[in-house]
Amino acid sequence: MSRSERLLDLIQCLRRHRRPVSGQALADELGISIRTLYRDIATLQGQGAPIEGEAGLGYVLKPGFILPPLMFTDEEIEAIVLGSRWVAKQPDQRLSAAAANALAKIAAVLPDDLREDLNASTLLVGPPAHAIEGIDLGVVRQAIRNERKLGFLYRDAGGAASQRVVWPFALGFFDKVRVVVAWCEMRQDFRHFRADRISALNAIDARYPRRRQALLKEWRATLDKPRGS
């Protein structure tokens, strides 16, 4: 591994840690000595990377730091192209357009040889599975970002309808269906709502009383609990 690749890997490691992480933990993750890690940290700081911390206390990369994507492996380029092409074929028009725009922005800052690899990727996405949504998922995504409540009419598998007010915090994308993951005020519990069974969607201008990340963490914990018979 070249030194430039090692420095890039160090940046990526720091990005994965939202809290300060010890130099030894970073060195172990990268497979380098602690002395090399300290030198690399100093090099990146000297080049303007906003890395805070010091030996013995841990290091953290301040949010908002953008490293120009000048170094991608072949598999990283394939992953970017494949993911973007898949999103671009989904019914959510705003998300589809955003995927195409993001791919164009990445291509614009890549060196010529990598841009050619990006454009020549042979990993193709098949035709969409014609997922039926029935609602504007952009409204759902906006509510999730802003931690706002949603109201809607929901029909269960048997066709029974009920009016719901929920706290949406995640959106699941499956081949043939989209699922809104939320805390339901009526059920006082986490619930999964198929987008094709939602109608009369209403964005409520009221912030729900919990943080989105806290809800997501609690919901994930419920998935790990053993299910009774």
Side-chain angles (χ1 to χ4, degrees):
M1 178 187 297
S2 68
R3 186 163 185 265
S4 61
E5 290 176 316
R6 192 176 71 239
L7 293 175
L8 182 62
D9 284 349
L10 176 53
I11 287 289
Q12 296 299 89
C13 285
L14 287 167
R15 279 177 168 163
R16 290 195 293 268
H17 295 278
R18 297 186 177 183
R19 300 173 184 272
V21 58
S22 71
Q24 188 60 59
L26 289 170
D28 292 343
E29 191 170 346
L30 293 167
I32 59 178
S33 70
I34 190 67
R35 291 183 62 185
T36 298
L37 184 280
Y38 289 150
R39 287 199 303 269
D40 288 350
I41 289 284
T43 297
L44 289 172
Q45 288 174 328
Q47 293 177 352
I51 300 172
E52 296 183 343
E54 58 184 81
L57 297 178
Y59 298 93
V60 64
L61 181 67
K62 293 178 64 177
F65 175 66
I66 299 176
L67 186 68
L70 300 178
M71 295 174 60
F72 284 124
T73 66
D74 291 340
E75 289 187 343
E76 287 171 341
I77 287 178
E78 289 177 341
I80 290 169
V81 173
L82 187 61
S84 298
R85 286 176 176 173
W86 185 87
V87 175
K89 287 196 174 185
Q90 300 311 301
D92 187 332
Q93 294 183 357
R94 279 183 280 183
L95 205 59
S96 174
N101 289 340
L103 195 58
K105 288 179 180 179
I106 292 172
V109 296
L110 285 174
D112 291 340
D113 57 338
L114 292 185
R115 188 181 302 114
E116 290 178 3
D117 291 342
L118 191 79
N119 295 329
S121 175
T122 55
L123 299 186
L124 307 177
V125 177
H130 301 293
I132 301 174
E133 292 168 356
I135 59 172
D136 184 355
L137 290 182
V139 173
V140 178
R141 291 187 282 106
Q142 185 70 33
I144 292 173
R145 284 195 295 268
N146 296 337
E147 299 180 339
R148 293 295 191 270
K149 297 182 181 183
L150 287 175
F152 52 76
L153 185 69
Y154 191 71
R155 295 186 182 276
D156 63 20
S162 58
Q163 192 67 41
R164 304 296 183 103
V165 174
V166 304
W167 309 348
F169 59 86
L171 185 59
F173 287 78
F174 299 89
D175 283 344
K176 296 184 179 180
V177 70
R178 309 294 177 249
V179 176
V180 180
V181 187
W183 175 268
C184 178
E185 291 189 353
M186 185 176 81
R187 301 299 188 192
Q188 286 296 294
D189 201 357
F190 295 113
R191 286 292 186 269
H192 306 146
F193 301 96
R194 286 178 50 150
D196 58 337
R197 296 178 182 170
I198 294 174
S199 61
L201 181 65
N202 176 38
I204 301 174
D205 190 20
R207 186 172 189 141
Y208 49 74
R210 303 285 305 283
R211 296 312 303 268
R212 179 181 65 245
Q213 291 300 325
L215 290 170
L216 184 62
K217 183 177 180 180
E218 287 184 25
W219 170 73
R220 283 174 170 164
T222 66
L223 301 181
D224 296 332
K225 291 181 180 179
R227 298 181 179 180
S229 58

